[in-house]
Amino acid sequence: MSVRVPAEAEEYHSKDFEWETLKQQIEDDLSLQHHLLPFHSLQQQEEEKVEEPEKDSDAWKKFHSRHSSGKFFKERRYLLKEFPELVSCGESSKLLEVGCGNGSTALPILRGNENINVYACDCSSEILERAKEFVGAVDVALLKVRFHPFHCDFCSTGFPEWLACDYCRESCLQKQRDCLSVSDVKEIDRLNLMSLSRESSCCIGRVDFITLIFTLSAVPLQKMPTAIKECYSVLKPGGLLFFRDYGLYDMTMLRFNPEQRVGFREYMRSDGTRSYFFSIDTVRNLFLGAGFIEVELEYCCVKSVNRRKGKSMERVWVHGKFQKPF
């Protein structure tokens, strides 16, 4: 899945205002109180339990069909500044982009580092074709050879075995259970060599990096823990997951009407696509609960101006960087 990302997100500045100040303004505004109320619709919760898993994916497939020209998304060049590891990583590094859309994240990364291979998935086959065209149209030698798009609805079916086979996932879980000492270093090296030797026969041996850029907010809240654990399972020990998504009290959250609420801080648009708005604490609990180590986590608060309408817009995103333990 991949969602609407405003052009303002490409600007590399994130402290135009204090999030706590915005929070106080929202809480003092009586017209916005419906966003703060607990969500107690038992009927809605029961309906969500019996919903077909494909329902959310279908909504995004239809969304991509309506916006398949590629003009709807902007190239996210700011990611190379937000996550410099994507530029400095070594030869043959592997990145998994989850919810790649039309390739607007993959392209600047491929341009910025000739050593990286990008494996990009999305639930929409149609948008994957657009991504291939988008990347393939760039006149850069060997760029498209390093781009590997594939169809996958990761929050429903998980990632394919060729990305990380059962052997790799199980060995990772075992290492997570064990407490390693200095004497274990040689054993780790041996396991890494075994993993490399298996790549050609069973899987690519997991990835060095994962990007979740405006993707997790499109996943139903109750599925998020499983989705994050799935990401954890295909990431190499020491690997990094880069996160950026809608933050609590973002301008787009405040535009939703009360009847569009489908959960606490969770909303559904008229086209059936959904969006969740994250607090720092929610993101921290989700990723630490899956086993990650927090490296960076903060609100990005950007004030932009709609010149046509002459209105100031206060945008809030959550920026995060998480590491899988060695």
Side-chain angles (χ1 to χ4, degrees), residues 9 16 39 43 80 86 92 118 120 164 178 220:
D16 289 345
F39 192 80
Q43 180 181 358
L80 300 180
L86 293 172
S92 300
V118 177
D178 297 338

Side-chain angles (χ1 to χ4, degrees), residues 168-180:
C168 290
R169 298 188 194 213
E170 288 171 7
S171 64
C172 172
L173 288 173
Q174 184 60 47
K175 278 191 268 183
Q176 184 183 1
R177 296 188 194 103
D178 297 338
C179 181
L180 298 176

Side-chain angles (χ1 to χ4, degrees), residues 13-37:
H13 56 98
S14 60
K15 297 296 180 185
D16 289 345
F17 59 90
E18 294 295 326
W19 183 83
E20 290 291 341
T21 302
L22 175 64
K23 175 178 178 288
Q24 192 61 54
Q25 292 173 353
I26 302 304
E27 292 179 350
D28 291 343
D29 191 333
L30 294 178
S31 68
L32 300 174
Q33 292 304 296
H34 62 277
H35 295 291
L36 313 178
L37 297 174

